[in-house]
Amino acid sequence: MDIYPVIKQFARTLRNLDAVLDKATKYAEARKFDVNNFLTARLFPDMLPFVTQIRIACDQAKSAAANLSGKEAPKHEDNETTMADLRGRIAKCLAYLDTFTAADFQDTKPDAMIRLPNRPGKAIAAAEYLYARQIPNFFFHATTAYDLLRHGGLEVGKNDYLGPLGFVDV
Amino acid sequence: MDIYPVIKQFARTLRNLDAVLDKATKYAEARKFDVNNFLTARLFPDMLPFVTQIRIACDQAKSAAANLSGKEAPKHEDNETTMADLRGRIAKCLAYLDTFTAADFQDTKPDAMIRLPNRPGKAIAAAEYLYARQIPNFFFHATTAYDLLRHGGLEVGKNDYLGPLGFVDV
């Protein structure tokens, strides 16, 4: 089961998102508003704010790597109050993701039952957990964070979200 | 290389999205506005509208299945003008995705160079195409479509986006 390429992609998308947060910081400086105002931005009053979108994107990636390799994920406190703090949260998550190698996942079979720390008494097959829950969830929160910045006027595009791709001439 | 589970998940997410579009239709009826007003909704004036978010989500899934199996994707015209039309676009995409089996992808190696019909003279490795381009792109557009409906007041939640998951008691 291909788990490691997904974990690597989560890290890549988080690095792309971090670069978007850097652009948001420069945008706020240029427009002379407090970039931290973005942290409470929501697309609708009962949706989660930007700060939480970033935290959850990080945690979905972290949890996927930990739960699919049989490790215990480090606890990252939800205490960020600035854009700089949020970039630190991403950096902590990336440092953890970067500790993994393909070998960590080589024994995880698609039908292995995964128990989640926050769902006591429940389990889910590894393939279902990866494809139906972690991948859609991770990209949901990464995209919604990006969309909140776009909604707030930040001038970024799909190339910022995807990052450079390995196309070659043929 | 695990390609078929991703294609199946794209179909599953599109089915979840179709159910959200059904809820949007009922929401508009209850609030007595034209549900088709959503088609031009944007999160910012230079972002793509809802109608295009749905088309691109479908096309990313369709293209991934075609390009990674060496087939030619059917052309689906961008001519939708109603929410019902968009649900038809999703249905056409799902009918195509449902023609695939794991066998269609079994010979595709991660480093196979994939040529894209809309990028003449360029190629990209199959793994890079799947993980770095198609997965992030598909979920970007599916999520942004969902976010546009949420931004427009539709009362749906993460369970609508993810659909029912295969948790079991342990």
Side-chain angles (χ1 to χ4, degrees):
Chain A
M1 186 180 169
D2 293 336
I3 298 169
Y4 185 55
V6 177
I7 303 301
K8 278 198 298 185
Q9 182 57 43
F10 287 167
R12 193 167 166 174
T13 295
L14 286 174
R15 287 193 167 86
N16 297 341
L17 195 57
D18 182 65
V20 170
L21 268 51
D22 187 53
K23 287 193 175 185
T25 304
K26 293 180 169 67
Y27 164 62
E29 286 168 6
R31 287 287 297 264
K32 302 192 195 314
F33 70 85
D34 184 349
V35 70
N36 303 319
N37 292 351
F38 274 122
L39 272 68
T40 53
R42 302 172 193 264
L43 288 173
F44 196 75
D46 70 357
M47 285 187 82
L48 295 170
F50 180 82
V51 61
T52 311
Q53 301 292 344
I54 297 287
R55 287 173 184 160
I56 297 180
C58 289
D59 283 358
Q60 295 291 329
K62 179 183 76 173
S63 300
N67 290 326
L68 289 167
S69 63
K71 299 187 182 192
E72 190 174 343
K75 174 88 182 147
H76 294 152
E77 295 293 335
D78 293 332
N79 57 6
E80 299 86 0
T81 59
T82 67
M83 190 67 86
D85 289 345
L86 279 180
R87 297 187 65 191
R89 175 69 171 258
I90 292 174
K92 277 190 294 190
C93 182
L94 286 171
Y96 179 65
L97 296 178
D98 287 347
T99 65
F100 287 86
T101 67
D104 289 308
F105 307 103
Q106 68 187 5
D107 296 330
T108 304
K109 305 290 181 230
D111 58 356
M113 294 310 291
I114 306 290
R115 290 163 184 254
L116 309 184
N118 58 351
R119 293 290 293 270
K122 298 282 184 184
I124 185 169
E128 171 91 352
Y129 174 68
L130 180 65
Y131 292 110
R133 189 174 187 274
Q134 297 313 104
I135 291 176
N137 239 339
F138 171 81
F139 287 105
F140 179 93
H141 293 285
T143 298
T144 299
Y146 172 98
D147 280 348
L148 279 163
L149 296 175
R150 285 287 270 118
H151 183 59
L154 180 63
E155 198 171 349
V156 287
K158 183 60 73 60
N159 289 343
D160 294 281
Y161 170 76
L162 292 178
L165 295 174
F167 279 99
V168 296
D169 294 327
V170 288
Chain B
M1 186 178 169
D2 293 336
I3 299 170
Y4 184 56
V6 176
I7 302 302
K8 278 198 297 185
Q9 182 57 43
F10 287 167
R12 192 167 167 176
T13 296
L14 286 174
R15 287 192 167 88
N16 297 341
L17 195 57
D18 182 65
V20 170
L21 268 51
D22 187 53
K23 287 193 177 185
T25 304
K26 293 180 169 69
Y27 165 62
E29 286 167 6
R31 287 288 295 264
K32 302 193 195 314
F33 69 86
D34 184 349
V35 69
N36 303 319
N37 292 350
F38 274 122
L39 271 67
T40 54
R42 302 173 194 263
L43 289 173
F44 196 75
D46 70 356
M47 284 187 83
L48 295 170
F50 180 82
V51 61
T52 311
Q53 301 293 345
I54 298 287
R55 287 172 183 159
I56 298 180
C58 289
D59 284 357
Q60 296 290 330
K62 179 183 76 173
S63 301
N67 291 326
L68 289 167
S69 63
K71 300 187 181 191
E72 190 174 344
K75 173 88 181 145
H76 294 152
E77 295 294 336
D78 293 332
N79 57 6
E80 300 86 0
T81 59
T82 67
M83 190 66 86
D85 289 344
L86 278 180
R87 296 188 65 190
R89 174 70 171 258
I90 292 173
K92 276 191 293 189
C93 183
L94 285 171
Y96 179 65
L97 295 178
D98 287 347
T99 65
F100 287 85
T101 68
D104 289 307
F105 307 103
Q106 68 187 7
D107 296 330
T108 304
K109 304 292 180 225
D111 58 356
M113 295 308 292
I114 306 291
R115 291 163 183 254
L116 308 184
N118 58 351
R119 294 289 293 270
K122 297 283 183 184
I124 185 169
E128 171 91 351
Y129 174 68
L130 180 65
Y131 292 110
R133 190 175 187 273
Q134 297 313 103
I135 291 177
N137 239 341
F138 171 81
F139 287 106
F140 179 93
H141 293 285
T143 298
T144 300
Y146 172 98
D147 281 348
L148 279 162
L149 296 175
R150 285 289 269 118
H151 185 58
L154 181 63
E155 197 171 350
V156 286
K158 183 60 72 61
N159 288 343
D160 294 282
Y161 170 76
L162 292 178
L165 295 174
F167 280 98
V168 296
D169 294 325
V170 288

